[in-house]
Amino acid sequence: MYDEPAAGGPPPQRKGRPRSTTADDAILAAARALLADGGWAGLTMGDVAARAGVAKTTLYRRWNSKHELAIAAVAEMLDTLHLPDEGLTLRADIEDVVRRFAALLARPEMRTALMGLVADSTSDPALRTRIREEVVNPQKRLVLEGRARAKSRGEITTQDDLDVDLIFDVIAGTVVHHILVSAEPASDRWVQRFTTFVVSGLVP
């Protein structure tokens, strides 16, 4: 098992923060596996600790609840999204991100976690706030980076008023609805048609 430092060791610099990335990785991997295997109801803190090989105290020092743990697991997966290293056009950047995002949403652990969190947040305003702050808002970095790239290539001008929040909502909302609500695959034709629609609203 992964244990905390022995008593008498140096005190943590910031109370409640993870002190072992090895334990963190094991816990998040266990949470994703349980979400994939047992669904939202199958995710319990006790089972996560057992599967990760850590003490419950180790788990609760990092994440106080199932919701916090699921948010962390989702955020970690979404943080793997990035624009292509050799993106040459705004269209190529958007198409690549849409494909990657759709592939993530198709994973059972991501689908289960997101739908479970959203369902529970309908009666929990604090949870909605955490989802927005820790899952949604950080991914707007992709829109900011894509906009900066497009401006540097001259595809859009610095005078173009591109609403980052609106662009994010259009892209992320459409892909989430298509994959999770409509339960349709992100076929090549669909990705290309959707990208054409988005680009037509961004490029003069």
Side-chain angles (χ1 to χ4, degrees):
M1 297 175 67
Y2 301 110
D3 293 321
E4 299 295 329
Q13 294 182 347
R14 290 190 288 177
K15 185 177 180 181
R17 295 288 294 179
R19 286 168 286 184
S20 167
T21 56
T22 303
D24 290 350
D25 292 343
I27 290 168
L28 291 175
R32 288 192 295 269
L34 287 169
L35 284 165
D37 294 343
W40 184 244
L43 181 69
T44 68
M45 297 296 273
D47 286 345
V48 170
R51 187 153 186 163
V54 302
K56 285 187 180 180
T57 53
T58 299
L59 173 57
Y60 279 101
R61 283 192 184 102
R62 289 155 168 78
W63 297 284
N64 291 324
S65 68
K66 168 180 176 174
H67 290 137
E68 288 188 11
L69 181 56
I71 286 173
V74 168
E76 184 181 61
M77 287 188 281
L78 288 175
D79 284 344
T80 64
L81 290 173
H82 58 82
L83 297 184
D85 293 336
E86 298 180 1
L88 301 178
T89 64
L90 178 61
R91 180 185 180 87
D93 286 346
I94 293 174
E95 187 169 320
D96 186 82
V97 168
V98 167
R99 291 183 190 280
R100 292 174 185 271
F101 184 38
L104 273 180
L105 292 177
R107 292 172 56 171
E109 63 270 35
M110 174 66 88
R111 179 174 63 248
T112 298
L114 274 180
M115 296 186 77
L117 286 168
V118 170
D120 287 359
S121 72
T122 58
S123 59
D124 188 340
L127 178 57
R128 285 201 301 273
T129 297
R130 292 204 65 166
I131 294 171
R132 181 173 63 251
E133 293 178 349
E134 299 180 36
V135 174
V136 176
N137 288 344
Q139 301 312 315
K140 293 179 182 178
R141 62 186 169 80
L142 296 166
V143 178
L144 291 169
E145 184 180 350
R147 182 178 65 177
R149 283 190 184 190
K151 285 184 176 181
S152 70
R153 292 188 295 248
E155 293 176 283
I156 57 177
T157 68
T158 55
Q159 288 76 33
D160 290 326
D161 183 18
L162 298 183
D163 187 319
V164 171
D165 291 335
L166 180 59
I167 295 170
F168 180 86
D169 287 347
V170 168
I171 296 176
T174 300
V175 179
V176 167
H177 186 278
H178 187 77
I179 302 297
L180 299 187
V181 180
S182 297
E184 296 288 344
S187 66
D188 287 343
R189 175 170 170 73
W190 183 85
V191 172
Q192 291 165 4
R193 290 177 61 210
F194 176 56
T195 301
T196 297
F197 171 79
V198 175
V199 172
S200 68
L202 299 177
V203 178

